[in-house]
Amino acid sequence: MSALLTVDNIGISFGGLKAVQAFAVEMRAGDLRGLIGPNGAGKTTVFNLLTGVYQPNQGIISLGGRRLNGLAPHQITAAGMSRTFQNIRLFGDLSVLDNVRIACHLRTRSGLSATITRAGGQIGEERAITERAMELLAIFGLGDRVDEQARNLPYGDQRRLEIARALATFPKVLLLDEPAAGMNPQEKRALRELIRDIRRKFELTILLIEHDMGVVMDICERITVLDYGQIIAEGTPAEIQKNPAVIEAYLGTADAPGVRKE
Amino acid sequence: MLRMKARSLELSPPAWTILPRNLLALVVILAIAIMMHAWVRPAVGNYYNRVMMDVGINIVLAVSLTIVNGFTGQFSIGHAGFMTLGGYVAAATTYYGSQLLWSKAAFFGGTLSSNTAESVFSAGLLGGGDLLFVAGCVLGGCIAAGAGYVVGLPSLRLRGDYLAIVTLGFGEIIRVLLQASGPQVTRTADIAAKNPFELTTALGGALGFTRVPIYTTQFWTILFGGVTLLVAYRLKQSSMGRALLSIREDEVAAEAMGVKTTRMKVLAFVIAAFFAGMGGGLYAHQLGQINAGELGFMKSFDFVIMVVLGGMGSISGATLAAIVLTVLPELLRGVAEYRMIVYALLLIVMMLVRPQGLFGVREAWELIRPLTRRMFGSGAKA
């Protein structure tokens, strides 16, 4: 089976700062991979490169054989890659239902004339969107809060709503940026189950940025470790835990300044 | 299971059927417009008739601006520019059109366009003149929409204050160009002799375009206002409208969720400009003249105030604000020279008491319906 998402040697610099260098990853359909690294390692920059927010200076990104370089973010979403945001970016003033319905817009056909005249199956289409959004929200346990403004949801619910919204675009690849951030231990446990669940139900390929090692080590099959914009390790969770380069990146070395050598 | 649904959604039925139910709204608007014109207009007298027409025109302008400023969150302060453009096009169409067709720029309409007809049903409802007038308004709307496309393009790159300055500049350019146009041709023989293209620049210059036949009545302001409201409402209740709202909320997230943000922003400008142009046509045919000098950026601010006061993106809010802000200065005529001070004070008080506008981002009916439900913090869908 060939790779679904191929990222080959991408990099980007901001001025003189090489934010990400020679990043490469290959994911087969159904993979669940973790992307970890210390703060400022360039993890979110990788997501921004993959989703077209930034254009890489070099390298190739391809999804299912289609090259994604140079495409606008909405085109990449249409091609089947969707994401959540580290600092939640919901449509705060809009209802929970509308947040998900907006993500369905991409798959609709009705143009302006059909919208104004409500002709050409527009009403049926609206109904289908609402139905689909309600189904998704029910899966995420938000079925009874559809009318609430998104900004009024508790933090954990907002994170889950972001995932629901990303799924409404019907992605093949889902990029999750710190989904467990700010969650309490119970919520984190539930999140692990949820990620496993949606992966199976929606046949997803997931790339996950996460600081919570409990979550990462538990659900990811493989892990890529970034530091200073470069990959320093790659492997199974067990391999990563023992990798000296990873330990060094996270904890520092014994001969770092300020640490006394015994 | 959900994947199956995804496919069926993409292949939504292409059949072009307009259901009678969808036309019903239009029939209702038409009926209200005719009834108001036939019975309310003669009953209330000239002054109130005039105020009601002003309200209708301001609703067209405020609600159309809501699509750009309220729905899409793009801060445009050049709305009067589109209004002026559409108004001039419509006025020139009826004036020169009447001259060419009937050798005289006078009223050739039916009773629906007459503010003086005793009984609306005594003579023909429509004449050739009102058809020319409607064609002029639609043409004015289309030209304004074209201008909206041109102004919408910079909005791809600019936001906030920078976009506001561009739209302000656009409004001023329209004003200056129209004030620099050639003198209005008034002799019928001269008009007939001229090339129609020459007439497009003979728009009266600094004196404004005058002697426009008067066609605007309650019937037309209600019809145009109703259609504007209907379009704005249907837009807001649709996937397309939600895409516009998402741009206001968070442009980066909207783009990441597959919304073609650049296209949608330009679309919002085009729709809003179209209705502003039509509103300008109503305005010109109400006064019998149109002068770009009187429709400067101060006029644009009137509409911005209506949108902000009503609540960003609230159609009912903008409508109510348009009504209140049209009627209020009339009510304050009693305090004569302090009128504008009182008006300004009321605005300040409003903004202090309700900074989010009358209805915030919601519609009037949305606020009333779930009031009890929200008290208990759960919003179960009925």
Side-chain angles (χ1 to χ4, degrees), chain B residues 76-124:
Chain B
S76 164
I77 48 175
H79 210 50
F82 299 118
M83 179 190 180
T84 316
L85 192 60
Y88 267 84
V89 170
T93 306
T94 38
Y95 178 78
Y96 289 130
S98 301
Q99 288 273 21
L100 289 171
L101 288 170
W102 302 297
S103 309
K104 184 163 78 151
F107 180 80
F108 291 102
T111 52
L112 285 178
S113 304
S114 166
N115 278 308
T116 50
E118 282 295 316
S119 166
V120 168
F121 305 107
S122 61

Side-chain angles (χ1 to χ4, degrees), chain A residues 58-78:
Chain A
Q58 69 203 48
I60 293 167
I61 305 165
S62 73
L63 179 66
R66 184 180 168 198
R67 223 181 124 136
L68 299 183
N69 295 57
L71 294 186
H74 72 258
Q75 291 170 312
I76 290 177
T77 309

Side-chain angles (χ1 to χ4, degrees), chain A residues 53 72-75 77 81-83 85 89-95 97-98 101-123 125-126 128-129 131-132 134-136 139 143-149 151 165-166 169-172 202-204, chain B residues 1-3 5-19 21-23 230-231 233-243 245-264 267 271 275 361-362 369-370 373-374 377-382:
Chain A
V53 176
H74 72 258
Q75 291 170 312
T77 309
M81 184 147 61
S82 187
R83 71 177 291 183
F85 294 90
R89 280 178 172 271
L90 288 169
F91 307 123
D93 283 337
L94 305 184
S95 71
L97 179 65
D98 281 350
R101 288 201 290 185
I102 283 162
C104 300
H105 177 67
L106 157 79
R107 311 283 177 206
T108 60
R109 283 285 170 88
S110 294
L112 182 62
S113 49
T115 298
I116 291 168
T117 56
R118 292 201 167 160
Q122 193 260 355
I123 293 175
E125 195 174 69
E126 283 293 320
I129 290 170
E131 234 167 70
R132 187 210 277 189
M134 291 297 287
E135 274 176 56
L136 270 170
I139 291 171
D144 55 347
R145 321 196 73 156
V146 290
D147 280 338
E148 266 182 74
Q149 276 189 324
R151 71 164 79 258
R165 186 179 68 172
T169 66
F170 279 87
K172 298 187 193 88
F202 298 92
E203 300 156 30
L204 289 171
Chain B
M1 179 189 74
L2 280 160
R3 285 207 176 265
K5 282 234 164 77
R7 273 198 293 275
S8 70
L9 195 70
E10 281 176 81
L11 300 172
S12 62
W16 250 91
T17 47
I18 298 182
L19 299 172
R21 190 172 48 151
N22 301 329
L23 283 173
L230 183 68
V231 168
Y233 174 76
R234 286 191 170 171
L235 197 58
K236 197 179 182 185
Q237 298 296 319
S238 73
S239 187
M240 202 167 239
R242 286 191 296 270
L245 291 169
S246 74
I247 296 172
R248 175 192 74 193
E249 293 295 311
D250 189 324
E251 199 170 332
V252 174
E255 180 81 23
M257 290 306 121
V259 174
K260 296 168 185 162
T261 54
T262 51
R263 213 184 123 207
M264 298 307 287
L267 185 74
I271 299 169
F275 286 107
V361 293
R362 304 220 149 185
R369 184 162 34 97
R373 245 187 280 156
R374 287 200 311 179
S378 94
K381 179 96 178 160

Side-chain angles (χ1 to χ4, degrees), chain B residues 86-109 113 127-140 184-185 191 199 203 209-216 220 224 280-286 288-290:
Chain B
Y88 267 84
V89 170
T93 306
T94 38
Y95 178 78
Y96 289 130
S98 301
Q99 288 273 21
L100 289 171
L101 288 170
W102 302 297
S103 309
K104 184 163 78 151
F107 180 80
F108 291 102
S113 304
D130 4 69
L131 296 182
L132 186 65
F133 156 66
V134 172
C137 285
V138 172
L139 183 66
Q184 189 172 351
V185 186
I191 293 167
L199 291 175
L203 296 172
F209 198 86
T210 56
R211 303 176 203 202
V212 185
I214 293 184
Y215 285 103
T216 302
W220 294 113
F224 284 26
L282 288 176
Y283 173 86
H285 292 85
Q286 184 200 22
Q289 57 142 326
I290 182 162

Side-chain angles (χ1 to χ4, degrees), chain B residues 149-172:
Chain B
Y149 180 76
V150 175
V151 180
L153 286 178
S155 79
L156 312 184
R157 307 184 143 271
L158 302 174
R159 55 190 69 178
D161 314 349
Y162 304 99
L163 176 68
I165 291 166
V166 168
T167 56
L168 181 71
F170 160 78
E172 290 302 289

Side-chain angles (χ1 to χ4, degrees), chain A residues 18-52:
Chain A
K18 289 176 178 160
V20 172
Q21 290 179 67
F23 182 85
V25 72
E26 202 160 279
M27 294 181 74
R28 288 155 180 266
D31 279 0
L32 205 174
R33 179 182 285 267
L35 180 59
I36 64 171
N39 288 326
K43 305 180 294 293
T44 297
T45 307
V46 167
F47 272 23
N48 285 337
L49 286 168
L50 293 181
T51 54

